[in-house]
């Protein structure tokens, strides 16, 4: 079925872009709605189903950031 994804990419200290405090980046790939061009894979045809997939993606993004921040605050070696 249609796919979306969330990733938190943590930079090694020696390759942090532009500033030493840029420690991680959130990547989000959203679902494809019907009529979308480009990419591969299936699409979501119903408007309600598509909006629910986008809402779920947003919730997953917030969860990923929360988990990263909790691990960083606990000294989990992610910074």
């Amino acid at each position: 079925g249609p796919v979306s994804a969330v990733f938190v990419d943590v930079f090694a200290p020696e390759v942090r872009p532009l500033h030493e405090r840029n420690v991680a980046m959130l990547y989000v790939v959203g679902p494809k709605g019907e009529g979308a061009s480009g990419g591969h894979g299936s699409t979501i045809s119903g408007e309600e189903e598509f909006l629910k997939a986008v809402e779920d993606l947003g919730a997953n993004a917030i969860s990923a950031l929360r988990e990263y921040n909790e691990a960083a605050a606990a000294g989990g070696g992610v910074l």
Side-chain angles (χ1 to χ4, degrees):
V3 176
S4 57
V6 174
F7 302 91
V8 177
D9 186 14
V10 180
F11 302 119
E14 64 275 7
V15 296
R16 291 180 179 168
L18 304 177
H19 194 278
E20 65 186 31
R21 292 184 66 191
N22 290 333
V23 298
M25 182 179 291
L26 176 69
Y27 291 93
V28 178
V29 179
K32 282 180 33 178
E34 187 174 62
S37 61
H40 302 284
S42 57
T43 60
I44 299 174
S45 59
E47 183 178 332
E48 287 185 33
E49 184 183 357
F50 176 78
L51 293 175
K52 175 69 171 130
V54 171
E55 184 178 295
D56 290 345
L57 178 65
N60 287 336
I62 296 301
S63 292
L65 292 176
R66 183 185 64 240
E67 289 178 28
Y68 169 80
N69 288 336
E70 288 173 353
V78 294
L79 293 176

